[in-house]
Every structure is written in C-alpha cells, then in structure tokens.
Amino acid sequence: MPSGYRWGTAAALRLFPIAFYTVAHCSPRVASPVRIRTALTRLRSLPGYAEVLCTTTALALYGALDAVSPHPPRAAKGLR
C-alpha cells in the first residue's frame, strides 16, 4: 500500500471514535448494538469511510485467520 494511503487510513482509524460520536452521540464503547449498526450505516455513507471500514474489516479477518495461538491446542478427552 502506498504511504499516502497508509497515512490516510491511519488518520481515519485514529479519528474513528470522533466520527462515531458525531453520528451516534455516544462512545462506541457504551453504544448499544442497534446504535452501533445505525452509526456504522451512517458512516458508510461518508466519502472514504466506507472503504476504510471494508478494508479494516478485511484486514482484521485476515489477521484473525493468520494469528498463531499462544497455547498449543489440547487433545480432547477420550480421543487418543
């Protein structure tokens, strides 16, 4: 990703709580699921934020799939 896009994405992510508060009138940490869904719908309508939300969701999913568990998986009891 070019550095300009990285800087823009980093700025958008840093400003996300402020943008969320602006449209939802509460913090993302205390918002109800309905309020979160409504706020994200409104944020998706803003130019550029829809791409940032989709990109970060995809990156989060890829990161979750690539993450290494700090603990090795245990064998189920009774299965050997």
Side-chain angles (χ1 to χ4, degrees), residues 14-33:
R14 290 284 185 184
L15 294 174
F16 176 77
I18 296 168
F20 187 92
Y21 188 84
T22 302
V23 297
H25 305 293
C26 69
S27 169
R29 294 178 188 233
V30 297
S32 68

Side-chain angles (χ1 to χ4, degrees), residues 7-71:
W7 282 101
T9 302
L13 290 175
R14 290 284 185 184
L15 294 174
F16 176 77
I18 296 168
F20 187 92
Y21 188 84
T22 302
V23 297
H25 305 293
C26 69
S27 169
R29 294 178 188 233
V30 297
S32 68
V34 172
R35 186 170 261 180
I36 290 171
R37 197 173 307 119
T38 305
L40 289 176
T41 301
R42 291 185 66 194
L43 283 174
R44 278 191 209 106
S45 68
L46 296 175
Y49 249 97
E51 290 81 12
V52 169
L53 292 174
C54 288
T55 302
T56 53
T57 301
L59 290 174
L61 289 173
Y62 283 131
L65 294 174
D66 293 340
V68 176
S69 174
H71 307 288

